[in-house]
């Protein structure tokens, strides 16, 4: 019988994860089944436990259950503990659940490998202070940027987060209003693009050669991607991060690292078709 995996969330119908993992399985010859699980908002733990009791091998966890998945895990990877959230669960041989967070690694892989935008010695601005920003901090700092500044609409949250992670690198935090420096890489980790809005940002934000990245992805340019491109700044959405985090989960589960580029190209093509 094939090994079983799934993505659990609420809502879940929109999830591209089954498509991505089936493509990885086909590409690597791994024998697995991957499905979507809609968990009731008040019954994530029950739903996940039933999946594993019935022989499931691993789960991806999406909104709004990443914090509950942290509580469910018996053991955490360092990056999941630092992120304070779990997006991947692995049922180990002894039945204990290992919780991981692959979002930040997926982001860094997309920036450095797919896009070829180095982080080392760069001045990086991370906008947002929610779960996605928190998960990205450790992997970003591991790339040794010259400086990482965290800016959030609610300034105190960015200041607190910068404080929490200050031992890992050169990090500062503040509000969106006080932004005066220029940055080589600006990453939008807010949910603003989901509402078709843009965080309030100054125009003079990019160095010459600066780049912009939105964690949100869409069939067309997100508001943030559009805003950056109108200033002549190369910009990418977060589809590659989605495929990258999936590749990291696949590696944790199967011990095989799939090729991201062909799956990303195929997904981009399909999203484009939906738009037209
Ligand atoms: P979250 O925990 O709810 O945090 C939301 C963040 O967005 C907060 O910092 C919030 O600021 C800010 N925000 C929301 N609307 C804003 C606006 N109009 N202007 C300025 N700031 C605004 O969400 P999350 O889990 O961090 O996720 C953030 C985004 O990342 C989501 O859109 C999600 O889809 C995306 N994401 C993508 C991937 C991927 O694989 N591509 C993976 C993970 C997450 P306040 O603190 O002031 O409220």
């Amino acid at each position: 019988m094939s090994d079983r995996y799934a993505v659990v969330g609420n809502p879940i119908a929109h999830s591209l994860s089954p498509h991505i993992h089936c493509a990885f399985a086909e590409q690597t010859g791994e024998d697995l089944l991957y499905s979507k699980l809609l968990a009731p908002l008040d019954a994530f733990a029950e739903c996940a436990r039933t999946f594993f009791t019935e022989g499931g091998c691993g789960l991806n966890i999406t909104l709004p259950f990443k914090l509950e998945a942290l509580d469910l895990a018996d053991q955490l990877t360092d990056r999941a503990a630092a992120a304070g959230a779990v997006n991947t669960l692995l049922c180990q041989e002894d039945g204990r659940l290992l919780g991981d967070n692959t979002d930040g690694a997926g982001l860094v892989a997309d920036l450095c490998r797919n896009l070829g935008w180095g982080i080392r010695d760069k001045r990086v601005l991370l906008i947002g202070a929610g779960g996605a920003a928190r998960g990205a901090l450790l992997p970003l700092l591991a790339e040794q940027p010259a400086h990482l500044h965290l800016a959030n609409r609610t300034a105190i949250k960015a200041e607190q987060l910068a404080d929490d992670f200050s031992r890992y690198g050169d990090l500062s935090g503040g509000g969106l209003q006080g932004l005066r420096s220029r940055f080589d890489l600006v990453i939008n980790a807010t949910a603003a693009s989901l509402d078709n809005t843009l965080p309030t940002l100054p125009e003079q934000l990019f160095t010459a050669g600066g780049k912009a990245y939105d964690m949100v992805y869409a069939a067309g340019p997100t508001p943030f991607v559009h805003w950056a491109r109108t200033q002549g700044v190369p910009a990418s959405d977060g589809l590659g991060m989605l495929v990258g985090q999936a590749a990291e989960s696949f590696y944790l589960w199967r011990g095989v690292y799939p090729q991201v580029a062909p799956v990303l190209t195929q997904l981009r093509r399909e999203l484009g078709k939906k738009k037209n």
Side-chain angles (χ1 to χ4, degrees), residues 22-46:
C22 290
F24 286 164
E26 197 174 316
Q27 181 198 106
T28 57
E30 292 289 307
D31 182 15
L32 60 87
L33 289 174
Y34 190 108
S35 57
K36 290 178 195 175
L37 282 181
L38 177 70
L41 288 173
D42 59 354
F44 162 74
E46 201 182 325

Side-chain angles (χ1 to χ4, degrees), residues 127-138:
I127 308 167
R134 190 179 181 97
L137 277 176
L138 210 56

Side-chain angles (χ1 to χ4, degrees), residues 3 48 50 57 120 170 179 249 260 267 269:
D3 292 342
T50 303
C57 300
R120 197 185 176 95
D170 187 4
L179 282 172
S249 298
V260 165
L267 266 189
R269 202 179 304 127

Side-chain angles (χ1 to χ4, degrees), residues 3-275:
D3 292 342
R4 289 195 304 116
Y5 299 86
V7 56
V8 55
N10 187 332
I12 200 63
H14 66 287
S15 176
L16 297 173
S17 293
H19 184 100
I20 297 171
H21 282 281
C22 290
F24 286 164
E26 197 174 316
Q27 181 198 106
T28 57
E30 292 289 307
D31 182 15
L32 60 87
L33 289 174
Y34 190 108
S35 57
K36 290 178 195 175
L37 282 181
L38 177 70
L41 288 173
D42 59 354
F44 162 74
E46 201 182 325
C47 180
R49 277 204 198 95
T50 303
F51 176 80
F52 286 117
T53 307
E54 291 176 350
C57 300
L59 281 177
N60 279 134
I61 295 90
T62 187
L63 294 176
F65 299 127
K66 291 184 185 183
L67 293 182
E68 286 182 65
L70 182 85
D71 293 337
L72 188 69
D74 300 301
Q75 218 181 323
L76 295 173
T77 61
D78 288 347
R79 58 193 185 181
V86 157
N87 78 336
T88 308
L89 285 168
L90 163 73
C91 186
Q92 301 174 109
E93 275 182 14
D94 60 2
R96 283 156 50 87
L97 295 178
L98 175 68
D100 194 8
N101 190 312
T102 64
D103 283 337
L107 167 71
V108 167
D110 194 34
L111 288 168
C112 299
R113 281 191 231 151
N114 296 338
L115 295 162
W117 300 351
I119 296 168
R120 197 185 176 95
D121 297 332
K122 296 283 162 53
R123 288 179 51 76
V124 178
L125 171 64
L126 183 62
I127 308 167
R134 190 179 181 97
L137 277 176
L138 210 56
L140 283 173
L141 288 169
E143 295 297 311
Q144 301 181 338
H147 182 75
L148 179 56
H149 184 70
L150 203 53
N152 194 45
R153 180 174 63 182
T154 312
I156 184 77
K157 288 195 204 167
E159 288 160 9
Q160 184 63 55
L161 205 50
D163 242 28
D164 292 350
F165 281 76
S166 58
R167 67 184 180 281
Y168 297 112
D170 187 4
L171 187 62
S172 55
L176 296 177
Q177 309 304 332
L179 282 172
R180 304 218 200 296
S181 313
R182 289 177 185 254
F183 296 89
D184 303 306
L185 175 63
V186 178
I187 302 167
N188 182 18
T190 75
S193 287
L194 291 179
D195 304 329
N196 228 14
T197 57
L198 193 64
T200 313
L201 297 168
E203 286 291 328
Q204 315 291 328
L205 200 53
F206 298 93
T207 55
K211 313 273 194 303
Y213 190 95
D214 195 348
M215 286 193 188
V216 172
Y217 57 86
T222 65
F224 181 75
V225 165
H226 177 75
W227 173 78
R229 286 182 184 160
T230 54
Q231 297 171 64
V233 172
S236 172
D237 72 7
L239 191 65
M241 173 178 174
L242 179 79
V243 182
Q245 62 78 26
E248 292 282 331
S249 298
F250 193 90
Y251 179 67
L252 179 79
W253 292 331
R254 310 298 300 182
V256 183
Y257 205 95
Q259 281 181 25
V260 165
V263 179
L264 182 54
T265 305
Q266 186 196 359
L267 266 189
R268 184 72 73 194
R269 202 179 304 127
E270 278 164 27
L271 270 184
K273 274 190 219 153
K274 275 190 197 156
K275 186 185 159 202

